[in-house]
Structure formats: structure tokens, C-alpha cells
Amino acid sequence: DVKVTQSSRYLVKRTGEKVFLECVQDMDHENMFWYRQDPGLGLRLIYFSYDVKMKEKGDIPEGYSVSREKKERFSLILESASTNQTSMYLCASSLDKGLAGGRGEQFFGPGTRLTVL
Amino acid sequence: AQSVSQHNHHVILSEAASLELGCNYSYGGTVNLFWYVQYPGQHLQLLLKYFSGDPLVKGIKGFEAEFIKSKFSFNLRKPSVQWSDTAEYFCAPGYGGGADGLTFGKGTHLIIQP
């Protein structure tokens, strides 16, 4: 079974702090994704990566950056956390290769619920 | 940008009732279609998927969905729901050739009353 793990289930940070959310997948998947999930808004794509050191902006990249130094690991960085970034953050991965692989089945981690005070 | 619309944000049913959740997506050429489910306190998991072939697809736990190309729809159905089906359901089309990944609907919160 594909396993996607996220470094924390719950995180509380203060406004202005730099926040790192880590995601690791164990199935050698090409693509990895970061979403945020908010009530009534569904999932919104922040960034995704289709290869090591490659990244693409999603629908809401402002205030976020990402890093993919190794194939299995995809990090989401909040450079200066703000209260409007309080949310559930979901990481996902998919096997399909290349940009067109973005439409393949995705496997999700358990999520990190981030609260910014 | 591609879009997806889920018709109902909140649905409340009694056990044994039939379920149909609507999903319409915008035209974007080749498309794969997914329904994901999120049970309370659990992570998102795949319910069913359509890539090609028979437009009626069956998923886990007795769910099925029908792809109707002419209507750009992929509605989720279950003939008789159970209390354990209480969850949030997301429709997610995936469009070919782009870097957008899957486009998720806003979700339908389904509550099944015993």
C-alpha cells in the first residue's frame, strides 16, 4: 500500500514565524502535491512537483514556497505565517509520469492542522 | 482554469435511503474522474475512478458513479446508505496535459441518521 506521511498532525505557530510542513511518500511516486482544505471551499492546490527540484504553482501559491530535494520528500514552507493560513494542509502523491500525470489517482496523507495565532 | 461543481453542500438522509450526489465539470478535453471520501478524523481516500470504457463504474462500499459525457456529469450513487457512510465526499476531475493536478469540488457533507 502507498503510504504518505506528514510530519505533524497538529501544529500551533505564531504570526510571523517560519513554518515547515514535511511530507514523505514511500512508493517512488513522480508527482507530489500540497493542498489546503477549508470548510466550504474544498481542497485548493498550493503547489505541486513532478520531479526532484521541479515545482509548479497551483491555484493559491501566495505566501507559500516548496522544496523537493529528494524524490520521496516534499516540503511546504510558510515564510512568515499569518492567521489566514490557519487551515488543514494535505499532501498527496501520484505515480503517473510527467505533467500529464497530474490527472492520475492521488494518494493522500493524514493532514496537518495548522493554527496560526 | 477548469472547474467542478458539486450540487449539494449538505445532505441529510436516513439509513436505507438512496443517495445521489451530483457533480458537473467543465469541458477540458481528456478527463479522468474521481470521487474521494473523507470519513470523520480520517484521511482522504479514493472511492472510485473513471478513466475510460464502461461509463458506469463501481467503487468501494457499494458506491457507483455514472459518467455522462454529453452532460459533463459524474454523479455518485448508492442504493441504500448506512450510518457509516457519514463523511465528506469530493468530486475531482483530472484534466490531461496540464500541471493542475486534480480539481476538487467544494465537497458534500453527508450525514446519515440512524
Side-chain angles (χ1 to χ4, degrees):
Chain A
D1 278 350
V2 175
K3 192 164 184 182
V4 180
T5 57
Q6 295 183 230
S7 50
S8 307
R9 289 300 301 272
Y10 299 93
L11 209 52
V12 180
K13 295 292 182 181
R14 296 206 173 273
T15 301
E17 281 192 78
K18 191 168 186 175
V19 182
F20 293 87
L21 302 182
E22 305 285 341
C23 175
V24 177
Q25 49 95 2
D26 66 357
M27 285 300 292
D28 202 33
H29 281 179
E30 303 289 335
N31 306 313
M32 296 187 75
F33 307 82
W34 276 106
Y35 297 88
R36 62 177 283 176
Q37 182 181 11
D38 299 288
L41 297 179
L43 275 71
R44 292 179 291 167
L45 182 65
I46 304 172
Y47 268 97
F48 99 103
S49 167
Y50 54 91
D51 202 350
V52 174
K53 296 191 185 296
M54 305 303 290
K55 60 185 180 184
E56 291 282 341
K57 291 181 180 179
D59 299 318
I60 52 165
E62 297 77 18
Y64 303 94
S65 62
V66 290
S67 172
R68 193 164 179 204
E69 296 296 319
K70 293 184 178 181
K71 190 175 186 179
E72 68 271 17
R73 188 180 296 270
F74 192 35
S75 302
L76 179 69
I77 303 154
L78 286 66
E79 296 289 343
S80 178
S82 64
T83 55
N84 63 13
Q85 292 177 310
T86 291
S87 186
M88 171 70 85
Y89 290 88
L90 299 179
C91 176
S93 70
S94 72
L95 175 61
D96 297 342
K97 296 182 185 296
L99 292 179
R103 58 186 174 95
E105 178 182 351
Q106 294 183 14
F107 297 85
F108 285 83
T112 295
R113 185 166 293 283
L114 173 67
T115 302
V116 183
L117 302 176
Chain B
Q2 309 298 352
S3 65
V4 56
S5 173
Q6 291 186 235
H7 306 164
N8 312 97
H9 296 302
H10 292 91
V11 174
I12 301 174
L13 295 173
S14 298
E15 276 192 309
S18 65
L19 170 72
E20 180 160 3
L21 301 183
C23 172
N24 285 93
Y25 60 94
S26 60
Y27 175 73
T30 303
V31 63
N32 294 340
L33 294 156
F34 303 85
W35 276 96
Y36 282 84
V37 60
Q38 189 173 36
Y39 297 104
Q42 296 187 28
H43 63 276
L44 270 162
Q45 56 187 285
L46 183 69
L47 199 55
L48 49 78
K49 61 187 176 185
Y50 172 79
F51 283 6
S52 64
D54 188 344
L56 184 63
V57 293
K58 295 190 184 300
I60 60 172
K61 303 188 180 184
F63 285 90
E64 64 180 32
E66 185 175 13
F67 169 56
I68 303 179
K69 189 175 181 179
S70 60
K71 295 184 178 180
F72 304 109
S73 71
F74 190 57
N75 293 353
L76 181 71
R77 299 196 294 247
K78 186 171 184 178
S80 177
V81 294
Q82 300 172 307
W83 176 79
S84 58
D85 293 325
T86 293
E88 187 122 24
Y89 293 81
F90 296 93
C91 179
Y95 297 92
D100 296 339
L102 300 181
T103 302
F104 282 84
K106 294 183 178 181
T108 297
H109 188 202
L110 175 66
I111 296 174
I112 307 300
Q113 296 176 331

